Amino acid sequence: MAERKLTLTDSESGKTLDLPVVSGTEGDPTIDISRLHPELGLFTFDPGYGATASCKSDITYIDGGEGILRYRGYPIEQLAEKSSFLEVAYLLLYGELPKDTEFARFERDITYHTMVHERINSFMDGFHYDAHPMAILSGVVASMAGFYHDKLDVNDPEQRDLAAKRLIAKMPTIAAAAYRHSMGWPNAYPSNSLNYSERFLHMMFSVPAENYEVNPVAAKALDLLFILHADHEQNASTSTVRLVGSTGANPYACTAAGIAALWGPAHGGANEAVLNMLNQIGDVSRVGEFVKKAKDKNDPFRLMGFGHRVYKNFDPRATIIRKACHEVLDELGIKDPLLDLAMELEKIALEDDYFVQRKLYPNVDFYSGIIYKALGIPTSMFTAMFAIGRTVGWVSQWLEQSATPHRIGRPRQVYTGAAERDYVSIDQR
Ligand code: SDX
């Protein structure tokens, strides 16, 4: 079959150019514009990169219209039901589900990298007690380059793999330490006898004064949330990790940049913003007032946890989390009026023309906070929870980019500033 192409004609120069159309395994075809500037002297303009593919990737596929999310070809619904976070981590990192011996070795590697250098704990002491956990996470992760400087050769596959495992293993340890710092509690060290999610809950909530038993319902719910947050193709924080990685920066600097990007309320910070919004609404009787604010162009208020750049249908993760909300709260015997409020808010919004026309549906952040709250995790830690799961996606995408030939990322611009002009001395101005 003849190669598909797009033929452009420049009305000014009369020149025409055939641009190849590139298709992947699935998804919308893309136009390879690499010859556009050399041949026609033209750049493309796509603020927010809404229609621009920044890379080729084998890791995650999303179909926004159909509400599809697959990790290495496996539907998120199947992984959520049948897999575990650490098995999903292996899948995202290496492309295949592990055999039992492969998984055992991977789990042992992660387990034995969960501790952080003791100096990192004293570094953490420098933060004010009420520092936001994401400020601590980004600062401490960036500092890790200072502790592992002997293994930072990004051109060495073994050192890349070690850094990836260190980041996956230590993120929960650092996040839990940030929480304990805010509580004024002594540090809790990782327990190798527990699995990934159990170990995190133990590090978060155990206190020296008494024995702490991990609730299996809570650990299972957390493992599910980590799976659902693990990767999401070229979102803002992952694109940040790739851009920083394209300069050859070390993986800790790349991941710290990803954490910073995730913190924004338009991105991973939305889960914290949703809980704050639900508490602000307070009662079902006020839902209409806030939906009205969300529709008012003169009001900066947005319905947090609603809308998505790619999903113009239900975010499949939101569907899974909404179902899990009911199951977890029932199993824990918790009645949370905020869940009823969220359900009512969703119902009213999805019947409102403004949201229907703009295809604004609940996204991954809309319900996740309800479960975190039920597990006793404070709102300020919600985005740090997102970061723990997404670390797997960040390092998987960083490994993929690092292992393939790539150029430094360097977008162009449309310059709209002053034309050339001469300097005027201050006495002439
Ligand atoms: C995540 O990219 C990813 O994959 C991200 C993520 C991941 O896993 O990595 O899925 C995680 O970040 C989920 C999104 C979490 N953010 C929020 O919930 C914050 C609230 N949502 C929005 O700010 C917004 O929907 C975005 C940022 C998510 C998407 O923004 P877009 O794609 O730039 O959409 P837009 O701002 O151009 O909005 C289109 C229209 C606008 O109205 P009009 O100008 O057409 O009249 O929809 C409106 C917007 O005003 N709109 C909203 C809205 N979201 C969009 N109006 C009210 N409330 C909202 N939440």
Short mmCIF file of all heavy atoms in Angstrom, two decimals, residues 147-175:
data_model
loop_
_atom_site.label_atom_id
_atom_site.label_comp_id
_atom_site.label_asym_id
_atom_site.label_seq_id
_atom_site.Cartn_x
_atom_site.Cartn_y
_atom_site.Cartn_z
N PHE A 147 23.68 11.61 46.94
CA PHE A 147 24.02 10.40 47.71
C PHE A 147 24.42 9.25 46.82
O PHE A 147 25.07 8.31 47.24
CB PHE A 147 22.81 9.98 48.58
CG PHE A 147 22.52 10.96 49.68
CD1 PHE A 147 21.67 12.04 49.47
CD2 PHE A 147 23.15 10.84 50.91
CE1 PHE A 147 21.42 12.96 50.48
CE2 PHE A 147 22.91 11.75 51.93
CZ PHE A 147 22.04 12.81 51.72
N TYR A 148 24.01 9.31 45.54
CA TYR A 148 24.32 8.18 44.65
C TYR A 148 25.16 8.65 43.47
O TYR A 148 25.00 8.19 42.36
CB TYR A 148 23.02 7.53 44.19
CG TYR A 148 22.17 7.06 45.35
CD1 TYR A 148 20.93 7.67 45.63
CD2 TYR A 148 22.63 6.07 46.23
CE1 TYR A 148 20.18 7.27 46.72
CE2 TYR A 148 21.87 5.67 47.32
CZ TYR A 148 20.66 6.28 47.58
OH TYR A 148 19.91 5.89 48.66
N HIS A 149 26.04 9.63 43.72
CA HIS A 149 26.77 10.23 42.59
C HIS A 149 27.67 9.22 41.89
O HIS A 149 28.05 9.41 40.75
CB HIS A 149 27.59 11.43 43.07
CG HIS A 149 28.29 11.17 44.36
ND1 HIS A 149 29.37 10.32 44.46
CD2 HIS A 149 28.02 11.60 45.63
CE1 HIS A 149 29.74 10.26 45.74
NE2 HIS A 149 28.95 11.02 46.46
N ASP A 150 27.95 8.07 42.57
CA ASP A 150 28.84 7.07 41.92
C ASP A 150 28.10 6.26 40.87
O ASP A 150 28.68 5.52 40.09
CB ASP A 150 29.42 6.14 42.98
CG ASP A 150 28.30 5.46 43.76
OD1 ASP A 150 27.22 6.09 43.89
OD2 ASP A 150 28.48 4.31 44.21
N LYS A 151 26.78 6.37 40.83
CA LYS A 151 26.00 5.54 39.89
C LYS A 151 25.06 6.42 39.08
O LYS A 151 23.85 6.20 39.05
CB LYS A 151 25.18 4.51 40.69
CG LYS A 151 26.02 3.51 41.47
CD LYS A 151 26.48 2.39 40.57
CE LYS A 151 27.23 1.32 41.39
NZ LYS A 151 28.06 0.47 40.52
N LEU A 152 25.64 7.45 38.45
CA LEU A 152 24.77 8.40 37.72
C LEU A 152 25.05 8.43 36.23
O LEU A 152 24.66 9.35 35.54
CB LEU A 152 24.95 9.81 38.30
CG LEU A 152 24.33 10.07 39.67
CD1 LEU A 152 24.51 11.55 40.04
CD2 LEU A 152 22.86 9.70 39.68
N ASP A 153 25.78 7.38 35.74
CA ASP A 153 26.09 7.40 34.30
C ASP A 153 24.84 6.98 33.53
O ASP A 153 24.52 5.79 33.43
CB ASP A 153 27.26 6.45 33.99
CG ASP A 153 27.58 6.41 32.50
OD1 ASP A 153 26.87 7.12 31.73
OD2 ASP A 153 28.49 5.67 32.11
N VAL A 154 24.13 7.95 32.97
CA VAL A 154 22.84 7.66 32.31
C VAL A 154 23.06 6.86 31.02
O VAL A 154 22.09 6.37 30.44
CB VAL A 154 22.05 8.95 32.01
CG1 VAL A 154 21.66 9.67 33.29
CG2 VAL A 154 22.81 9.86 31.07
N ASN A 155 24.32 6.72 30.60
CA ASN A 155 24.57 5.91 29.39
C ASN A 155 24.83 4.45 29.71
O ASN A 155 25.02 3.63 28.82
CB ASN A 155 25.77 6.51 28.62
CG ASN A 155 25.47 7.93 28.17
OD1 ASN A 155 24.43 8.18 27.54
ND2 ASN A 155 26.31 8.87 28.56
N ASP A 156 24.84 4.13 31.03
CA ASP A 156 25.08 2.74 31.45
C ASP A 156 23.75 2.09 31.82
O ASP A 156 23.14 2.47 32.82
CB ASP A 156 26.04 2.75 32.65
CG ASP A 156 26.24 1.34 33.22
OD1 ASP A 156 25.49 0.42 32.80
OD2 ASP A 156 27.13 1.16 34.07
N PRO A 157 23.29 1.12 31.01
CA PRO A 157 21.98 0.51 31.26
C PRO A 157 21.82 -0.04 32.67
O PRO A 157 20.76 0.07 33.28
CB PRO A 157 21.90 -0.62 30.22
CG PRO A 157 22.90 -0.26 29.17
CD PRO A 157 23.98 0.52 29.84
N GLU A 158 22.90 -0.60 33.21
CA GLU A 158 22.80 -1.16 34.57
C GLU A 158 22.58 -0.07 35.61
O GLU A 158 21.77 -0.20 36.52
CB GLU A 158 24.08 -1.95 34.91
CG GLU A 158 24.03 -3.39 34.39
CD GLU A 158 25.26 -4.19 34.80
OE1 GLU A 158 25.85 -3.89 35.89
OE2 GLU A 158 25.63 -5.07 34.03
N GLN A 159 23.29 1.06 35.43
CA GLN A 159 23.11 2.16 36.38
C GLN A 159 21.73 2.79 36.22
O GLN A 159 21.10 3.21 37.18
CB GLN A 159 24.22 3.21 36.19
CG GLN A 159 25.60 2.69 36.58
CD GLN A 159 26.65 3.79 36.58
OE1 GLN A 159 26.38 4.92 36.98
NE2 GLN A 159 27.84 3.45 36.12
N ARG A 160 21.22 2.82 34.99
CA ARG A 160 19.86 3.34 34.78
C ARG A 160 18.85 2.47 35.49
O ARG A 160 17.95 2.95 36.18
CB ARG A 160 19.55 3.41 33.28
CG ARG A 160 20.37 4.40 32.49
CD ARG A 160 19.68 4.77 31.19
NE ARG A 160 19.52 3.63 30.30
CZ ARG A 160 20.33 3.37 29.26
NH1 ARG A 160 21.38 4.13 29.02
NH2 ARG A 160 20.10 2.33 28.45
N ASP A 161 19.03 1.15 35.36
CA ASP A 161 18.08 0.22 35.98
C ASP A 161 18.13 0.33 37.50
O ASP A 161 17.11 0.34 38.18
CB ASP A 161 18.41 -1.21 35.54
CG ASP A 161 17.33 -2.21 35.96
OD1 ASP A 161 16.21 -2.13 35.39
OD2 ASP A 161 17.58 -2.99 36.89
N LEU A 162 19.36 0.48 38.03
CA LEU A 162 19.51 0.61 39.49
C LEU A 162 18.83 1.88 39.99
O LEU A 162 18.09 1.87 40.98
CB LEU A 162 20.99 0.62 39.86
CG LEU A 162 21.33 0.86 41.34
CD1 LEU A 162 20.67 -0.19 42.23
CD2 LEU A 162 22.86 0.87 41.54
N ALA A 163 19.01 2.98 39.27
CA ALA A 163 18.39 4.26 39.68
C ALA A 163 16.87 4.13 39.65
O ALA A 163 16.17 4.60 40.55
CB ALA A 163 18.85 5.38 38.76
N ALA A 164 16.35 3.45 38.62
CA ALA A 164 14.89 3.27 38.51
C ALA A 164 14.37 2.50 39.72
O ALA A 164 13.38 2.89 40.35
CB ALA A 164 14.56 2.54 37.21
N LYS A 165 15.06 1.43 40.08
CA LYS A 165 14.62 0.62 41.23
C LYS A 165 14.75 1.41 42.53
O LYS A 165 13.88 1.35 43.40
CB LYS A 165 15.44 -0.67 41.31
CG LYS A 165 15.03 -1.70 40.26
CD LYS A 165 15.96 -2.89 40.26
CE LYS A 165 15.54 -3.92 39.21
NZ LYS A 165 16.62 -4.88 38.93
N ARG A 166 15.82 2.17 42.66
CA ARG A 166 16.01 2.98 43.88
C ARG A 166 14.86 3.97 44.04
O ARG A 166 14.30 4.14 45.11
CB ARG A 166 17.34 3.74 43.81
CG ARG A 166 18.53 2.93 44.25
CD ARG A 166 19.84 3.68 44.06
NE ARG A 166 20.91 3.06 44.84
CZ ARG A 166 22.21 3.19 44.54
NH1 ARG A 166 22.56 3.93 43.48
NH2 ARG A 166 23.14 2.63 45.28
N LEU A 167 14.48 4.61 42.94
CA LEU A 167 13.41 5.61 43.01
C LEU A 167 12.07 4.96 43.37
O LEU A 167 11.33 5.45 44.23
CB LEU A 167 13.32 6.36 41.68
CG LEU A 167 14.38 7.45 41.50
CD1 LEU A 167 14.60 7.76 40.03
CD2 LEU A 167 13.99 8.71 42.27
N ILE A 168 11.76 3.83 42.73
CA ILE A 168 10.50 3.13 43.03
C ILE A 168 10.48 2.67 44.49
O ILE A 168 9.48 2.80 45.19
CB ILE A 168 10.31 1.93 42.07
CG1 ILE A 168 10.12 2.43 40.64
CG2 ILE A 168 9.13 1.05 42.51
CD1 ILE A 168 10.19 1.34 39.58
N ALA A 169 11.64 2.18 44.95
CA ALA A 169 11.71 1.62 46.31
C ALA A 169 11.67 2.69 47.38
O ALA A 169 11.05 2.52 48.44
CB ALA A 169 13.00 0.80 46.45
N LYS A 170 12.30 3.86 47.10
CA LYS A 170 12.47 4.85 48.18
C LYS A 170 11.37 5.91 48.22
O LYS A 170 11.22 6.61 49.21
CB LYS A 170 13.84 5.52 48.04
CG LYS A 170 15.01 4.53 48.19
CD LYS A 170 16.35 5.20 48.03
CE LYS A 170 17.47 4.20 47.81
NZ LYS A 170 17.65 3.23 48.89
N MET A 171 10.60 6.04 47.16
CA MET A 171 9.56 7.09 47.15
C MET A 171 8.60 6.92 48.32
O MET A 171 8.30 7.90 49.01
CB MET A 171 8.84 7.10 45.82
CG MET A 171 8.10 8.39 45.52
SD MET A 171 9.18 9.85 45.42
CE MET A 171 9.89 9.62 43.80
N PRO A 172 8.09 5.70 48.59
CA PRO A 172 7.19 5.55 49.75
C PRO A 172 7.89 5.89 51.08
O PRO A 172 7.30 6.51 51.97
CB PRO A 172 6.79 4.08 49.72
CG PRO A 172 7.06 3.63 48.33
CD PRO A 172 8.23 4.42 47.85
N THR A 173 9.15 5.53 51.19
CA THR A 173 9.89 5.80 52.42
C THR A 173 10.00 7.30 52.66
O THR A 173 9.78 7.79 53.77
CB THR A 173 11.31 5.18 52.32
OG1 THR A 173 11.19 3.81 51.93
CG2 THR A 173 12.06 5.29 53.63
N ILE A 174 10.30 8.05 51.59
CA ILE A 174 10.43 9.51 51.71
C ILE A 174 9.07 10.15 51.97
O ILE A 174 8.93 11.03 52.81
CB ILE A 174 11.09 10.09 50.43
CG1 ILE A 174 12.49 9.51 50.23
CG2 ILE A 174 11.13 11.61 50.46
CD1 ILE A 174 13.08 9.74 48.85
N ALA A 175 8.03 9.66 51.27
CA ALA A 175 6.69 10.24 51.44
C ALA A 175 6.20 10.01 52.87
O ALA A 175 5.69 10.93 53.52
CB ALA A 175 5.72 9.63 50.44
#
